[in-house]
Coordinates of all heavy atoms in Angstrom, one line a residue:
K1 N 41.1 -17.9 -32.7 CA 40.2 -16.8 -33.1 C 38.8 -17.3 -33.1 O 38.5 -18.5 -33.5 CB 40.6 -16.3 -34.5 CG 41.9 -15.7 -34.5 CD 42.3 -15.2 -35.9 CE 43.7 -14.6 -35.9 NZ 44.1 -14.2 -37.2
R2 N 37.9 -16.5 -32.8 CA 36.4 -16.9 -32.8 C 35.7 -16.3 -33.9 O 36.1 -15.3 -34.5 CB 35.8 -16.3 -31.5 CG 36.4 -17.0 -30.2 CD 35.7 -16.5 -29.0 NE 34.3 -16.5 -29.3 CZ 33.4 -16.1 -28.4 NH1 33.8 -15.8 -27.2 NH2 32.1 -16.2 -28.6
R3 N 34.6 -16.9 -34.2 CA 33.7 -16.4 -35.3 C 33.1 -15.1 -34.8 O 32.6 -15.0 -33.7 CB 32.6 -17.4 -35.6 CG 31.7 -17.0 -36.7 CD 30.7 -18.0 -37.2 NE 30.4 -19.0 -36.2 CZ 30.1 -20.2 -36.5 NH1 30.0 -20.6 -37.8 NH2 29.8 -21.1 -35.6
E4 N 33.1 -14.1 -35.6 CA 32.5 -12.8 -35.3 C 31.0 -12.8 -35.7 O 30.7 -13.0 -36.8 CB 33.2 -11.7 -36.0 CG 34.7 -11.7 -35.7 CD 35.5 -10.8 -36.7 OE1 34.8 -9.9 -37.3 OE2 36.7 -10.9 -36.7
N5 N 30.1 -12.7 -34.7 CA 28.7 -12.7 -35.0 C 28.4 -11.4 -35.6 O 28.9 -10.3 -35.3 CB 27.9 -12.9 -33.7 CG 28.0 -14.3 -33.2 OD1 28.1 -15.2 -33.9 ND2 27.9 -14.4 -31.9
M6 N 27.4 -11.4 -36.6 CA 27.0 -10.3 -37.3 C 25.6 -10.0 -37.1 O 24.8 -10.9 -36.9 CB 27.3 -10.5 -38.8 CG 28.7 -10.7 -39.2 SD 28.8 -11.0 -40.9 CE 30.5 -11.2 -41.1
K7 N 25.2 -8.7 -37.1 CA 23.8 -8.3 -37.0 C 23.2 -8.0 -38.3 O 22.9 -6.8 -38.6 CB 23.7 -7.1 -36.0 CG 24.3 -7.4 -34.6 CD 23.4 -8.3 -33.9 CE 24.0 -8.5 -32.5 NZ 23.4 -9.7 -31.8
M8 N 23.2 -8.9 -39.2 CA 22.6 -8.7 -40.5 C 21.4 -9.6 -40.7 O 21.4 -10.7 -40.1 CB 23.6 -9.0 -41.6 CG 24.8 -8.1 -41.6 SD 25.9 -8.4 -43.0 CE 27.1 -7.1 -42.7
N9 N 20.4 -9.2 -41.4 CA 19.2 -9.9 -41.6 C 19.1 -10.8 -42.8 O 18.3 -11.7 -42.8 CB 18.0 -9.0 -41.5 CG 17.9 -8.3 -40.2 OD1 18.2 -8.9 -39.2 ND2 17.5 -7.1 -40.2
N10 N 19.7 -10.4 -43.9 CA 19.5 -11.1 -45.1 C 20.8 -11.3 -45.9 O 21.9 -10.7 -45.6 CB 18.5 -10.4 -46.0 CG 19.0 -9.0 -46.5 OD1 20.0 -8.9 -47.1 ND2 18.2 -8.0 -46.2
L11 N 20.8 -12.2 -46.8 CA 22.0 -12.6 -47.5 C 22.5 -11.6 -48.5 O 23.7 -11.6 -48.8 CB 21.7 -13.9 -48.3 CG 21.5 -15.1 -47.4 CD1 21.2 -16.4 -48.2 CD2 22.8 -15.4 -46.5
E12 N 21.6 -10.7 -49.0 CA 22.1 -9.7 -49.9 C 23.1 -8.8 -49.2 O 24.1 -8.4 -49.8 CB 20.9 -8.8 -50.4 CG 20.1 -9.6 -51.4 CD 19.0 -8.8 -52.0 OE1 19.1 -7.5 -52.0 OE2 18.0 -9.4 -52.5
E13 N 23.0 -8.5 -47.9 CA 23.9 -7.8 -47.2 C 25.3 -8.5 -47.1 O 26.3 -7.9 -47.2 CB 23.4 -7.5 -45.8 CG 22.2 -6.6 -45.7 CD 21.7 -6.4 -44.3 OE1 22.5 -5.9 -43.4 OE2 20.5 -6.8 -44.1
I14 N 25.2 -9.8 -46.9 CA 26.4 -10.6 -46.8 C 27.1 -10.7 -48.1 O 28.4 -10.6 -48.1 CB 26.0 -12.1 -46.3 CG1 25.3 -12.1 -45.0 CG2 27.2 -13.0 -46.3 CD1 26.1 -11.4 -43.9
M15 N 26.4 -10.8 -49.2 CA 27.0 -10.8 -50.5 C 27.8 -9.6 -50.8 O 28.9 -9.6 -51.5 CB 26.0 -11.0 -51.6 CG 25.2 -12.3 -51.5 SD 26.3 -13.8 -51.6 CE 25.2 -15.1 -51.2
K16 N 27.4 -8.4 -50.3 CA 28.1 -7.2 -50.5 C 29.5 -7.2 -49.9 O 30.4 -6.4 -50.3 CB 27.3 -6.0 -50.0 CG 26.1 -5.7 -50.7 CD 25.3 -4.6 -50.1 CE 23.9 -4.4 -50.8 NZ 23.1 -3.5 -50.1
M17 N 29.8 -8.1 -49.0 CA 31.1 -8.2 -48.4 C 32.2 -8.8 -49.3 O 33.4 -8.7 -49.1 CB 31.0 -9.0 -47.0 CG 30.1 -8.3 -46.0 SD 30.0 -9.2 -44.5 CE 31.7 -9.1 -43.9
G18 N 31.7 -9.6 -50.2 CA 32.6 -10.2 -51.2 C 33.4 -11.4 -50.7 O 34.4 -11.8 -51.3
K19 N 33.1 -12.0 -49.5 CA 33.8 -13.1 -49.0 C 33.1 -14.4 -49.3 O 31.9 -14.4 -49.7 CB 33.8 -13.0 -47.4 CG 34.4 -11.8 -46.9 CD 35.9 -11.9 -46.8 CE 36.5 -10.7 -46.1 NZ 37.9 -10.7 -46.2
A20 N 33.8 -15.5 -49.3 CA 33.2 -16.8 -49.5 C 32.1 -17.0 -48.5 O 32.2 -16.5 -47.4 CB 34.3 -17.9 -49.4
V21 N 31.1 -17.8 -48.8 CA 29.9 -18.0 -48.0 C 29.6 -19.5 -47.9 O 29.6 -20.2 -48.9 CB 28.7 -17.3 -48.5 CG1 27.5 -17.5 -47.7 CG2 29.0 -15.8 -48.6
E22 N 29.4 -20.0 -46.7 CA 28.9 -21.3 -46.5 C 27.5 -21.2 -45.8 O 27.4 -20.6 -44.7 CB 29.9 -22.2 -45.7 CG 31.1 -22.4 -46.4 CD 32.1 -23.4 -45.7 OE1 31.9 -23.7 -44.5 OE2 33.0 -23.8 -46.4
L23 N 26.5 -21.8 -46.4 CA 25.1 -21.7 -45.8 C 24.5 -23.0 -45.7 O 24.6 -23.9 -46.5 CB 24.3 -20.9 -46.8 CG 24.8 -19.5 -47.3 CD1 24.1 -19.0 -48.5 CD2 24.7 -18.5 -46.1
M24 N 23.8 -23.2 -44.5 CA 22.9 -24.3 -44.4 C 21.5 -23.8 -44.6 O 21.0 -23.0 -43.8 CB 23.0 -24.9 -43.0 CG 22.2 -26.1 -42.8 SD 22.3 -27.4 -44.1 CE 23.9 -28.0 -43.9
T25 N 20.9 -24.2 -45.7 CA 19.6 -23.7 -46.1 C 18.6 -24.8 -46.0 O 19.0 -26.0 -45.8 CB 19.6 -23.3 -47.6 OG1 19.6 -24.4 -48.5 CG2 20.8 -22.4 -47.9
P26 N 17.3 -24.5 -46.1 CA 16.3 -25.6 -46.1 C 16.5 -26.6 -47.2 O 16.0 -27.7 -47.1 CB 15.0 -24.8 -46.2 CG 15.3 -23.5 -45.6 CD 16.7 -23.2 -46.0
G27 N 17.1 -26.1 -48.3 CA 17.3 -27.0 -49.5 C 18.6 -27.7 -49.5 O 19.0 -28.5 -50.4
G28 N 19.5 -27.5 -48.4 CA 20.7 -28.2 -48.3 C 21.9 -27.2 -48.1 O 21.7 -26.0 -48.0
F29 N 23.1 -27.8 -48.1 CA 24.3 -27.0 -47.9 C 24.7 -26.3 -49.2 O 24.7 -26.9 -50.2 CB 25.4 -27.9 -47.4 CG 26.7 -27.2 -47.2 CD1 27.0 -26.4 -46.1 CD2 27.7 -27.3 -48.2 CE1 28.2 -25.8 -45.9 CE2 28.9 -26.6 -48.0 CZ 29.2 -25.9 -46.8
V30 N 25.1 -25.0 -49.1 CA 25.5 -24.2 -50.2 C 26.9 -23.6 -49.9 O 27.0 -22.9 -48.9 CB 24.5 -23.1 -50.6 CG1 25.1 -22.2 -51.7 CG2 23.2 -23.7 -51.0
H31 N 27.8 -23.8 -50.8 CA 29.1 -23.1 -50.7 C 29.3 -22.2 -51.9 O 29.1 -22.7 -53.0 CB 30.3 -24.1 -50.6 CG 31.6 -23.4 -50.7 ND1 32.2 -22.8 -49.6 CD2 32.4 -23.1 -51.8 CE1 33.3 -22.2 -50.0 NE2 33.5 -22.4 -51.3
L32 N 29.6 -21.0 -51.6 CA 29.9 -20.0 -52.7 C 31.3 -19.5 -52.5 O 31.6 -19.0 -51.4 CB 28.9 -18.9 -52.7 CG 27.4 -19.3 -53.0 CD1 26.5 -18.0 -52.8 CD2 27.2 -19.8 -54.4
S33 N 32.1 -19.6 -53.5 CA 33.5 -19.0 -53.4 C 33.4 -17.5 -53.4 O 32.3 -16.9 -53.8 CB 34.3 -19.5 -54.6 OG 33.8 -18.9 -55.8
A34 N 34.4 -16.8 -53.0 CA 34.4 -15.4 -53.1 C 34.2 -14.9 -54.5 O 33.5 -13.9 -54.7 CB 35.8 -14.8 -52.5
E35 N 34.7 -15.6 -55.5 CA 34.5 -15.2 -56.9 C 33.0 -15.3 -57.2 O 32.4 -14.4 -57.9 CB 35.3 -16.1 -57.8 CG 35.3 -15.6 -59.2 CD 36.0 -14.3 -59.5 OE1 36.9 -13.9 -58.7 OE2 35.6 -13.6 -60.4
Q36 N 32.3 -16.4 -56.8 CA 30.9 -16.5 -57.0 C 30.1 -15.5 -56.3 O 29.1 -14.9 -56.9 CB 30.4 -17.9 -56.6 CG 30.9 -19.1 -57.5 CD 30.5 -20.4 -56.9 OE1 30.9 -20.7 -55.7 NE2 29.8 -21.2 -57.6
V37 N 30.5 -15.1 -55.1 CA 29.8 -14.1 -54.4 C 29.9 -12.7 -55.1 O 28.9 -12.0 -55.2 CB 30.3 -14.0 -52.9 CG1 29.8 -12.7 -52.2 CG2 30.0 -15.2 -52.1
K38 N 31.1 -12.4 -55.6 CA 31.3 -11.2 -56.3 C 30.5 -11.1 -57.6 O 30.1 -10.0 -58.0 CB 32.8 -11.0 -56.6 CG 33.6 -10.7 -55.3 CD 35.0 -10.6 -55.6 CE 35.8 -10.6 -54.3 NZ 37.2 -10.8 -54.5
N39 N 30.2 -12.3 -58.2 CA 29.5 -12.3 -59.5 C 28.0 -12.8 -59.3 O 27.4 -13.3 -60.3 CB 30.2 -13.2 -60.4 CG 31.5 -12.6 -60.9 OD1 31.6 -11.5 -61.3 ND2 32.6 -13.4 -60.7
I40 N 27.5 -12.8 -58.1 CA 26.2 -13.4 -57.8 C 25.1 -12.8 -58.7 O 24.1 -13.5 -59.1 CB 25.8 -13.3 -56.3 CG1 24.7 -14.2 -56.0 CG2 25.4 -11.8 -55.9 CD1 25.1 -15.7 -55.9
S41 N 25.2 -11.6 -59.1 CA 24.2 -11.0 -60.0 C 24.1 -11.6 -61.4 O 23.1 -11.5 -62.1 CB 24.3 -9.5 -60.0 OG 25.5 -9.1 -60.6
N42 N 25.2 -12.3 -61.8 CA 25.3 -12.9 -63.1 C 25.0 -14.4 -63.0 O 25.0 -15.1 -64.0 CB 26.7 -12.7 -63.7 CG 27.0 -11.2 -63.9 OD1 26.1 -10.5 -64.3 ND2 28.2 -10.9 -63.6
I43 N 24.7 -14.9 -61.8 CA 24.4 -16.4 -61.7 C 22.9 -16.6 -61.5 O 22.3 -15.9 -60.7 CB 25.2 -16.9 -60.5 CG1 26.7 -16.7 -60.7 CG2 24.9 -18.4 -60.2 CD1 27.6 -17.1 -59.4
K44 N 22.4 -17.5 -62.2 CA 20.9 -17.7 -62.1 C 20.6 -18.9 -61.2 O 19.6 -18.9 -60.5 CB 20.4 -18.1 -63.5 CG 20.5 -17.0 -64.5 CD 19.6 -15.9 -64.3 CE 19.7 -14.9 -65.4 NZ 19.6 -13.5 -65.0
E45 N 21.5 -19.9 -61.1 CA 21.2 -21.1 -60.4 C 22.5 -21.6 -59.7 O 23.6 -21.5 -60.3 CB 20.7 -22.1 -61.3 CG 20.1 -23.3 -60.7 CD 19.5 -24.2 -61.7 OE1 20.2 -25.1 -62.3 OE2 18.2 -24.1 -62.0
I46 N 22.4 -22.1 -58.5 CA 23.6 -22.7 -57.8 C 23.2 -24.1 -57.3 O 22.0 -24.5 -57.4 CB 24.0 -21.8 -56.6 CG1 22.8 -21.5 -55.7 CG2 24.7 -20.6 -57.1 CD1 22.7 -22.3 -54.6
N47 N 24.1 -24.9 -56.9 CA 23.8 -26.2 -56.4 C 23.8 -26.2 -54.9 O 24.7 -25.7 -54.2 CB 24.9 -27.2 -56.8 CG 24.7 -27.6 -58.3 OD1 23.6 -27.8 -58.7 ND2 25.8 -27.7 -59.0
A48 N 22.8 -26.9 -54.3 CA 22.7 -27.2 -52.9 C 22.9 -28.7 -52.7 O 22.4 -29.5 -53.5 CB 21.3 -26.8 -52.4
N49 N 23.6 -29.0 -51.7 CA 23.9 -30.4 -51.4 C 23.1 -30.9 -50.2 O 23.2 -30.3 -49.1 CB 25.4 -30.7 -51.1 CG 25.7 -32.1 -51.0 OD1 25.3 -32.8 -50.1 ND2 26.5 -32.6 -52.0
A50 N 22.3 -32.0 -50.4 CA 21.4 -32.5 -49.4 C 22.1 -33.3 -48.3 O 21.5 -33.8 -47.4 CB 20.3 -33.3 -50.0
G51 N 23.4 -33.5 -48.4 CA 24.2 -34.2 -47.5 C 24.7 -35.6 -47.9 O 25.4 -36.2 -47.2
C52 N 24.3 -36.0 -49.1 CA 24.8 -37.2 -49.7 C 25.6 -36.9 -50.9 O 25.2 -36.1 -51.8 CB 23.6 -38.1 -50.1 SG 22.6 -38.7 -48.7
R53 N 26.8 -37.5 -51.0 CA 27.7 -37.3 -52.1 C 27.0 -37.6 -53.4 O 26.3 -38.6 -53.6 CB 28.9 -38.2 -52.0 CG 29.9 -37.9 -53.1 CD 31.1 -38.8 -52.9 NE 31.8 -38.4 -51.7 CZ 32.8 -39.0 -51.1 NH1 33.3 -40.0 -51.7 NH2 33.3 -38.5 -50.0
G54 N 27.1 -36.7 -54.4 CA 26.5 -36.9 -55.7 C 25.0 -36.4 -55.8 O 24.4 -36.6 -56.9
Y55 N 24.5 -35.9 -54.7 CA 23.1 -35.5 -54.8 C 22.9 -34.0 -54.6 O 22.5 -33.5 -53.7 CB 22.3 -36.2 -53.6 CG 22.0 -37.6 -53.9 CD1 22.9 -38.6 -53.4 CD2 20.9 -38.0 -54.7 CE1 22.6 -39.9 -53.7 CE2 20.7 -39.3 -55.0 CZ 21.5 -40.3 -54.5 OH 21.3 -41.6 -54.8
N56 N 23.4 -33.3 -55.7 CA 23.2 -31.9 -55.7 C 21.9 -31.5 -56.3 O 21.4 -32.2 -57.2 CB 24.4 -31.2 -56.5 CG 25.7 -31.3 -55.8 OD1 25.7 -31.3 -54.6 ND2 26.7 -31.2 -56.6
M57 N 21.3 -30.5 -55.7 CA 20.0 -30.0 -56.2 C 20.1 -28.6 -56.6 O 20.7 -27.8 -55.9 CB 18.9 -30.2 -55.1 CG 18.7 -31.6 -54.6 SD 17.6 -31.7 -53.2 CE 16.2 -30.7 -53.7
P58 N 19.6 -28.3 -57.8 CA 19.7 -26.9 -58.2 C 18.8 -26.0 -57.4 O 17.7 -26.4 -56.9 CB 19.2 -26.9 -59.7 CG 18.4 -28.2 -59.8 CD 18.9 -29.1 -58.8
M59 N 19.3 -24.8 -57.1 CA 18.5 -23.8 -56.4 C 18.7 -22.4 -57.1 O 19.7 -22.0 -57.5 CB 19.1 -23.6 -54.9 CG 18.4 -22.6 -54.1 SD 19.1 -22.4 -52.4 CE 18.7 -24.0 -51.7
D60 N 17.5 -21.8 -57.3 CA 17.5 -20.5 -57.9 C 18.2 -19.5 -57.0 O 17.9 -19.5 -55.8 CB 16.0 -20.1 -58.1 CG 15.9 -18.9 -58.9 OD1 16.0 -18.9 -60.2 OD2 15.6 -17.8 -58.3
V61 N 19.0 -18.6 -57.6 CA 19.7 -17.6 -56.8 C 18.7 -16.7 -56.1 O 19.0 -16.3 -55.0 CB 20.8 -16.9 -57.6 CG1 21.3 -15.7 -56.9 CG2 21.9 -17.8 -58.0
D62 N 17.7 -16.3 -56.8 CA 16.7 -15.4 -56.2 C 16.1 -16.1 -54.9 O 15.8 -15.4 -53.9 CB 15.5 -15.1 -57.1 CG 16.0 -14.2 -58.2 OD1 17.0 -13.4 -58.0 OD2 15.4 -14.2 -59.3
E63 N 15.8 -17.4 -54.9 CA 15.4 -18.1 -53.8 C 16.4 -18.0 -52.7 O 16.1 -17.8 -51.5 CB 15.0 -19.6 -54.1 CG 14.6 -20.4 -52.9 CD 14.4 -21.9 -53.2 OE1 14.7 -22.3 -54.3 OE2 14.0 -22.6 -52.3
L64 N 17.7 -18.3 -53.0 CA 18.7 -18.3 -52.0 C 18.8 -16.9 -51.4 O 18.9 -16.8 -50.1 CB 20.1 -18.6 -52.7 CG 21.3 -18.5 -51.8 CD1 21.3 -19.7 -50.8 CD2 22.6 -18.4 -52.6
L65 N 18.7 -15.8 -52.1 CA 18.9 -14.5 -51.6 C 17.6 -14.1 -50.8 O 17.7 -13.1 -50.0 CB 19.1 -13.5 -52.7 CG 20.4 -13.6 -53.4 CD1 20.5 -12.6 -54.6 CD2 21.6 -13.5 -52.5
S66 N 16.5 -14.8 -50.9 CA 15.3 -14.5 -50.1 C 15.4 -15.0 -48.7 O 14.6 -14.6 -47.8 CB 14.1 -15.0 -50.8 OG 14.0 -16.4 -50.7
F67 N 16.3 -15.9 -48.4 CA 16.4 -16.5 -47.1 C 16.9 -15.5 -46.0 O 17.6 -14.6 -46.3 CB 17.4 -17.7 -47.0 CG 16.9 -18.9 -47.8 CD1 17.7 -19.5 -48.7 CD2 15.7 -19.5 -47.6 CE1 17.3 -20.6 -49.4 CE2 15.2 -20.6 -48.3 CZ 16.1 -21.2 -49.2
K68 N 16.4 -15.7 -44.8 CA 16.7 -14.8 -43.7 C 17.8 -15.5 -42.8 O 17.7 -16.7 -42.6 CB 15.5 -14.5 -42.8 CG 14.4 -13.8 -43.6 CD 14.9 -12.4 -44.1 CE 13.8 -11.7 -44.9 NZ 14.3 -10.8 -45.8
I69 N 18.7 -14.8 -42.3 CA 19.7 -15.3 -41.4 C 19.2 -15.7 -40.1 O 18.5 -14.9 -39.4 CB 20.9 -14.3 -41.3 CG1 21.5 -14.1 -42.7 CG2 21.9 -14.8 -40.3 CD1 22.5 -13.0 -42.7
V70 N 19.4 -16.9 -39.6 CA 19.0 -17.4 -38.3 C 20.2 -17.1 -37.3 O 20.0 -16.4 -36.3 CB 18.7 -18.9 -38.3 CG1 18.4 -19.3 -36.8 CG2 17.5 -19.1 -39.2
R71 N 21.4 -17.5 -37.7 CA 22.6 -17.2 -36.9 C 23.8 -17.5 -37.7 O 23.8 -18.2 -38.7 CB 22.6 -18.0 -35.6 CG 22.7 -19.5 -35.7 CD 22.8 -20.2 -34.4 NE 22.8 -21.6 -34.6 CZ 21.8 -22.4 -34.5 NH1 20.6 -21.9 -34.3 NH2 21.9 -23.7 -34.7
G72 N 24.9 -17.0 -37.2 CA 26.2 -17.3 -37.8 C 27.1 -16.0 -37.8 O 26.8 -15.1 -37.1
G73 N 28.1 -16.1 -38.6 CA 29.0 -14.9 -38.6 C 30.2 -15.2 -39.5 O 30.3 -16.2 -40.2
Y74 N 31.2 -14.3 -39.4 CA 32.4 -14.4 -40.1 C 33.5 -15.3 -39.4 O 33.7 -15.1 -38.2 CB 33.0 -13.0 -40.4 CG 34.3 -13.0 -41.0 CD1 34.5 -13.4 -42.3 CD2 35.5 -12.6 -40.3 CE1 35.8 -13.3 -42.9 CE2 36.7 -12.6 -40.9 CZ 36.9 -12.9 -42.2 OH 38.1 -12.9 -42.8
N75 N 34.1 -16.2 -40.1 CA 35.1 -17.1 -39.5 C 36.5 -16.6 -40.0 O 36.8 -16.9 -41.2 CB 34.9 -18.5 -39.9 CG 35.8 -19.5 -39.2 OD1 36.9 -19.1 -38.8 ND2 35.5 -20.7 -39.1
P76 N 37.3 -15.9 -39.2 CA 38.5 -15.4 -39.7 C 39.5 -16.5 -40.1 O 40.4 -16.2 -40.9 CB 39.0 -14.5 -38.6 CG 38.3 -15.0 -37.4 CD 37.0 -15.5 -37.8
E77 N 39.4 -17.7 -39.5 CA 40.3 -18.7 -39.8 C 40.2 -19.2 -41.2 O 41.2 -19.7 -41.8 CB 40.2 -19.9 -38.8 CG 40.6 -19.5 -37.4 CD 40.4 -20.7 -36.4 OE1 40.2 -21.8 -36.8 OE2 40.4 -20.4 -35.2
T78 N 39.0 -19.2 -41.7 CA 38.8 -19.6 -43.1 C 38.4 -18.5 -44.1 O 38.2 -18.7 -45.2 CB 37.6 -20.7 -43.2 OG1 36.4 -20.0 -42.7 CG2 37.9 -21.9 -42.3
D79 N 38.3 -17.3 -43.5 CA 38.0 -16.1 -44.3 C 36.6 -16.3 -45.0 O 36.5 -16.0 -46.2 CB 39.1 -15.7 -45.3 CG 38.9 -14.3 -45.9 OD1 38.3 -13.4 -45.2 OD2 39.3 -14.1 -47.0
T80 N 35.7 -16.9 -44.3 CA 34.4 -17.3 -44.8 C 33.3 -16.8 -43.9 O 33.4 -16.9 -42.7 CB 34.3 -18.8 -45.0 OG1 35.4 -19.3 -45.8 CG2 33.0 -19.3 -45.6
N81 N 32.2 -16.4 -44.5 CA 30.9 -16.1 -43.8 C 30.2 -17.4 -43.7 O 29.9 -18.1 -44.7 CB 30.1 -15.1 -44.5 CG 30.7 -13.7 -44.3 OD1 31.0 -13.3 -43.2 ND2 30.9 -13.0 -45.5
E82 N 29.8 -17.9 -42.5 CA 29.1 -19.1 -42.2 C 27.8 -18.9 -41.5 O 27.7 -18.3 -40.4 CB 30.0 -20.0 -41.3 CG 31.3 -20.3 -42.0 CD 32.3 -21.0 -41.0 OE1 32.1 -20.9 -39.8 OE2 33.3 -21.6 -41.5
F83 N 26.7 -19.3 -42.2 CA 25.3 -19.0 -41.6 C 24.4 -20.1 -41.8 O 24.4 -20.9 -42.7 CB 24.7 -17.8 -42.4 CG 25.5 -16.5 -42.1 CD1 26.4 -16.0 -43.0 CD2 25.2 -15.7 -41.0 CE1 27.1 -14.8 -42.8 CE2 25.9 -14.6 -40.7 CZ 26.8 -14.1 -41.6
L84 N 23.4 -20.2 -40.8 CA 22.2 -21.0 -40.9 C 21.1 -20.0 -41.4 O 21.0 -18.9 -40.8 CB 21.9 -21.6 -39.6 CG 20.5 -22.3 -39.4 CD1 20.5 -23.5 -40.3 CD2 20.2 -22.6 -38.0
V85 N 20.4 -20.4 -42.4 CA 19.4 -19.5 -42.9 C 18.0 -20.3 -43.1 O 18.0 -21.5 -43.1 CB 19.8 -18.9 -44.3 CG1 21.0 -18.1 -44.2 CG2 19.9 -20.0 -45.4
E86 N 17.0 -19.5 -43.1 CA 15.6 -20.1 -43.3 C 14.8 -19.3 -44.2 O 15.1 -18.1 -44.5 CB 14.9 -20.4 -42.0 CG 14.6 -19.1 -41.2 CD 13.9 -19.3 -39.9 OE1 13.8 -20.5 -39.5 OE2 13.5 -18.3 -39.3

């Protein structure tokens, strides 16, 4: 199965789908479980990982939601939305 490319511009649209999300952001890698995605309006801050174990950096959810999608899509093998954002 192949990743299904999506024609969406922002993360708020992706969050409405309620699926787990993996994002490569300017501040690092962000993984949000489906439960976190469904409750994103109640979360103020998440952790971004810069690529080194133990080096998580806090990221404001409003900042995360302001990023625009560069490319990516839905991966049916992992039931996850995977995107590069800026």
Side-chain angles (χ1 to χ4, degrees):
K1 296 180 180 178
R2 294 182 45 177
R3 181 175 24 212
E4 300 169 18
N5 289 329
M6 297 180 180
K7 301 291 183 196
M8 295 186 180
N9 295 326
N10 63 57
L11 290 179
E12 289 186 20
E13 294 176 58
I14 300 302
M15 297 298 170
K16 291 177 185 174
M17 297 177 68
K19 302 277 185 189
V21 177
E22 292 186 349
L23 305 167
M24 181 50 66
T25 75
F29 177 78
V30 173
H31 172 81
L32 297 173
S33 69
E35 188 67 28
Q36 288 172 303
V37 168
K38 291 173 188 170
N39 292 308
I40 198 71
S41 62
N42 298 321
I43 300 172
K44 300 285 184 218
E45 193 175 85
I46 50 95
N47 283 321
N49 186 295
C52 297
R53 184 177 296 175
Y55 286 94
N56 288 335
M57 296 176 46
M59 180 183 292
D60 186 79
V61 168
D62 289 336
E63 176 186 5
L64 178 73
L65 294 177
S66 73
F67 290 130
K68 301 296 180 206
I69 295 169
V70 175
R71 67 175 174 265
Y74 173 70
N75 184 339
E77 292 180 16
T78 61
D79 194 28
T80 303
N81 287 310
E82 301 169 341
F83 293 97
L84 171 66
V85 298
E86 63 180 10

